[in-house]
Amino acid sequence: MNFKKITIASIALLSLAFTACSSSEEKHEHGKQTLTNVSYDPTRELYANYNQVFAKHWKEKTGKDVEITQSHGGSGKQALEVANGLEADVVTLALEFDVNAVRDAGLIEPGWVKEFPLNSSPYTSTIVFLVRKGNPKGLKDWGDLVKDGIGVITPNPKTSGGARWNYLAAWAWAEKQYNGDEAKVKDFVKKLYKNVLVLASGARGSTTTFIENGQGDVLLAWENEAFLSLKDYPNDYEIVIPSVSILAEPSVAIVDKVVDKRGTRELATEYLSHLYSDEGQHIAAKNHYRPSNKAILDQYKEFDQNVNLIDISYFGGWDKAQSKHFSNGGIFDQIYEKK
């Protein structure tokens, strides 16, 4: 019985693969190019908009049509998928370390971070609190999140890039609060995660838990996710900006081994380069990401530019931060008690 199931499944997979291959060849014959962008959770709306605009730009520039396929999920999980064979022309992930994981699998050339401006980060974000309208629990800063009876929603730092930004922002606040006393900082972060009700695999899953399932008192959220929630539910939620947060710098990169095999390097390069154009920057801003172009950023008053933001250099860069906090046996593993 098991053998029959495996055989049927294998035939189905072969059929799908043949169909996909035939479809790809047919599109190629008709001059349509394809590109796959593997991204992280909260960029769904951003790239739904950007891909339409880019397809028009590419058609005007080259006369060719392009079909863009998107994949979304927790950033760390997405990086692992690409490293393990999910074919992507480009990756647009939540942080540098996740792109490095694809590099370490031999798919991206060293030095990728300098291939595009501003360390290959065309837009930025930060971490805010999303609370229910009226802020009934009076949550103003990180210290409020460890109080008894506070339900916190945040993704899992082992799979989500946004979750790692959340964790590091909390850690940075505690270091300043406790003058660098690591024992006290660890104790604070342990208490914070004791109040976490659900660890979803990605940021969008946590938003669903908080918004649609009604769980928790506060969502630790990408700024863009929080703004999207306000847009969809203007009378139900509000944003609280903590006294210390973090400059979240999502990273973009060409997957060299894939584009060289598929002959899509020119297309992939233009796809990521156009994110830095005025058009690309305005699309980022309209989807609540902070444009890297300061002149365009200044045109969007929703972004509080006076937030006290630390950046990843505070932690010695992503390799050090990952090793210390999120690797197997790291501080997160030491402090997190599964419910």
Side-chain angles (χ1 to χ4, degrees):
M1 183 63 114
N2 289 341
F3 177 77
K4 287 181 180 177
K5 285 181 180 178
I6 292 169
T7 303
I8 292 167
S10 300
I11 291 169
L13 285 169
L14 285 170
S15 176
L16 282 170
F18 178 78
T19 302
C21 181
S22 301
S23 175
S24 176
E25 287 172 359
E26 184 180 343
K27 287 173 184 173
H28 184 73
E29 287 171 6
H30 289 85
K32 179 177 282 190
Q33 297 175 288
T34 61
L35 179 138
T36 298
N37 174 12
V38 173
S39 195
Y40 65 104
D41 251 349
T43 59
R44 297 166 195 267
E45 293 79 10
L46 167 61
Y47 284 108
N49 293 158
Y50 178 72
N51 290 347
Q52 291 181 347
V53 169
F54 177 78
K56 182 180 177 184
H57 165 75
W58 186 247
K59 177 77 170 179
E60 290 171 352
K61 182 172 182 176
T62 67
K64 296 177 182 176
D65 293 314
V66 61
E67 183 178 287
I68 302 163
T69 300
Q70 282 297 132
S71 172
H72 298 276
S75 186
K77 186 173 181 292
Q78 291 289 83
L80 186 62
E81 294 280 357
V82 175
N84 288 337
L86 175 62
E87 196 165 83
D89 299 278
V90 299
V91 289
T92 56
L93 298 174
L95 44 90
E96 182 182 326
F97 182 83
D98 289 338
V99 180
N100 283 343
V102 182
R103 176 202 65 191
D104 293 345
L107 299 174
I108 294 176
E109 295 295 326
W112 67 267
V113 77
K114 298 300 182 186
E115 192 164 351
F116 295 96
L118 302 169
N119 293 325
S120 292
S121 182
Y123 42 79
T124 67
S125 190
T126 188
I127 302 304
V128 299
F129 303 167
L130 187 69
V131 298
R132 305 193 186 281
K133 195 72 173 179
N135 195 4
K137 295 294 180 75
L139 306 176
K140 299 296 185 184
D141 212 346
W142 294 101
D144 296 323
L145 305 191
V146 300
K147 293 177 180 177
D148 291 342
I150 302 301
V152 178
I153 304 296
T154 183
N156 189 339
K158 306 293 275 192
T159 55
S160 164
R164 278 169 273 174
W165 289 119
N166 294 349
Y167 171 105
L168 292 176
W171 184 278
W173 177 88
E175 278 204 331
K176 295 178 186 298
Q177 187 75 12
Y178 299 114
N179 296 315
D181 185 329
E182 188 159 298
K184 290 182 178 178
V185 176
K186 284 178 71 172
D187 186 59
F188 167 79
V189 178
K190 183 174 183 176
K191 287 178 180 176
L192 173 58
Y193 278 88
K194 191 174 181 181
N195 279 351
V196 172
L197 303 179
V198 180
L199 280 183
S201 64
R204 186 54 58 86
S206 285
T207 302
T208 298
T209 297
F210 186 71
I211 301 289
E212 295 183 17
N213 300 343
Q215 294 183 253
D217 302 299
V218 57
L219 173 69
L220 305 187
W222 289 93
E223 183 179 50
N224 66 289
E225 279 284 274
F227 276 125
L228 280 175
S229 298
L230 291 190
K231 182 180 177 182
D232 291 341
Y233 305 93
N235 300 315
D236 297 334
Y237 303 97
E238 59 188 72
I239 292 172
V240 173
I241 298 173
S243 64
V244 174
S245 195
I246 196 162
L247 178 65
E249 298 177 288
S251 297
V252 303
I254 293 169
V255 184
D256 296 291
K257 196 166 185 179
V258 172
V259 297
D260 287 342
K261 181 181 79 171
R262 297 190 66 239
T264 53
R265 180 172 290 276
E266 182 184 358
L267 171 60
T269 301
E270 186 66 18
Y271 181 79
L272 296 184
S273 295
H274 197 63
L275 287 167
Y276 292 89
S277 70
D278 286 359
E279 183 174 54
Q281 292 285 285
H282 280 293
I283 291 171
K286 288 171 183 175
N287 283 276
H288 313 292
Y289 280 94
R290 297 183 175 219
S292 295
N293 183 323
K294 181 68 164 58
I296 293 177
L297 173 63
D298 289 342
Q299 296 175 33
Y300 291 84
K301 302 307 178 187
E302 72 177 36
F303 300 114
D304 183 349
Q305 296 189 50
N306 297 314
V307 183
N308 182 12
L309 299 180
I310 60 157
D311 62 36
I312 196 61
S313 65
Y314 177 88
F315 298 93
W318 264 112
D319 287 341
K320 286 187 178 180
Q322 178 73 26
S323 176
K324 179 175 180 177
H325 295 278
F326 310 117
S327 61
N328 291 335
I331 292 177
F332 178 75
D333 284 351
Q334 296 167 28
I335 66 165
Y336 183 64
E337 298 172 2
K338 293 182 180 178
K339 294 177 174 60

